[in-house]
Amino acid sequence: TQLLEQSPQFLSIQEGENLTVYCNSSSVFSSLQWYRQEPGEGPVLLVTVVTGGEVKKLKRLTFQFGDARKDSSLHITAAQPGDTGLYLCAGELSYNTDKLIFGTGTRLQVFP
Amino acid sequence: DAGVIQSPRHEVTEMGQEVTLRCKPISGHNSLFWYRQTMMRGLELLIYFNNNVPIDDSGMPEDRFSAKMPNASFSTLKIQPSEPRDSAVYFCASSFGGRARDEQFFGPGTRLTVL
């Protein structure tokens, strides 16, 4: 059973389009992170959100933590081929802050 | 800093052989994590260490897997005997601090193929 489900699983879009990736759970998290992983490399941290309802922006990327701290979203505006990769959400459970639980992943392909 | 270093980058072995994966964390980091990534199961935590002490090994699949961290700058993950279902990319990550929210820095991974 996956604690963190991401949707969609795969996404192929044209350069310039907008997209949203979702990360959902029935569990409450103390914090939630988003990572991006490129082929042949390890994941790289993009952002950490810790407060319910929190919104963070990183250039064209907007991250939101749900009010109840059970879900999160990543919105990309005007996607570029450089955004291509595997996006992973990862949560710190409220009852176990020692380790991260990784989501199922969303594989994004942006075509020029 | 060179980042987290893993070796080898690729390993192809036959079923039944022993496999040893190696990791050098970022200097000064006190937490080290071993993950396994497959298409079917995604990224799974196998074991993590804090100050060289194993804290949680509940993700280790079975007794064929073992991990050690003899000092702050080196860790190994051993599979003996290996099986085809162990084929995956194995990542090592390190962080500074004792909480999951502390940024984890991942190595490039070791792609293991067991024939």
Side-chain angles (χ1 to χ4, degrees), chain A residues 33 37 40 92 97-99, chain B residues 37 48 56 91 99-101:
Chain A
Q33 299 178 330
Q37 183 179 13
E92 173 191 25
T97 60
D98 287 347
K99 59 186 182 182
Chain B
Q37 187 174 41
Y48 72 94
D56 186 341
F91 288 101
R99 294 195 66 169
R101 70 179 63 182

Side-chain angles (χ1 to χ4, degrees), chain A residues 2 10 30-31 33 35 37 40-45 48 50 86 88 92 96-100 102-104 107, chain B residues 9 33 35 37 39 41-43 45 48 55-56 58 91 98-109:
Chain A
Q2 283 282 2
F10 299 97
S30 297
S31 67
Q33 299 178 330
Y35 286 78
Q37 183 179 13
E41 300 180 9
V44 175
L45 180 66
T48 301
V50 298
L86 177 67
L88 296 162
E92 173 191 25
N96 184 346
T97 60
D98 287 347
K99 59 186 182 182
L100 285 177
F102 277 84
T104 49
R107 196 167 296 277
Chain B
R9 291 295 310 275
F33 307 82
Y35 292 90
Q37 187 174 41
M39 288 293 292
R41 300 175 66 87
L43 192 63
L45 177 66
Y48 72 94
I55 301 301
D56 186 341
S58 60
F91 288 101
R99 294 195 66 169
R101 70 179 63 182
D102 299 317
E103 181 176 5
Q104 293 187 23
F105 293 82
F106 284 76

Side-chain angles (χ1 to χ4, degrees), chain B residues 8 15 18 20 26 30 33 35 38 49-50 57 60 67 75 82-84 87 112 115:
Chain B
M15 182 174 64
E18 177 180 297
T20 299
I26 292 174
N30 59 349
F33 307 82
Y35 292 90
T38 61
F49 296 83
N50 189 256
D57 65 353
M60 296 285 260
S75 177
S82 58
E83 296 182 3
S87 297
L112 173 65
L115 302 174

Side-chain angles (χ1 to χ4, degrees), chain B residues 1-17:
Chain B
D1 200 313
V4 175
I5 299 173
Q6 290 186 249
S7 65
R9 291 295 310 275
H10 301 273
E11 177 80 37
V12 180
T13 191
E14 292 189 346
M15 182 174 64
Q17 296 297 305

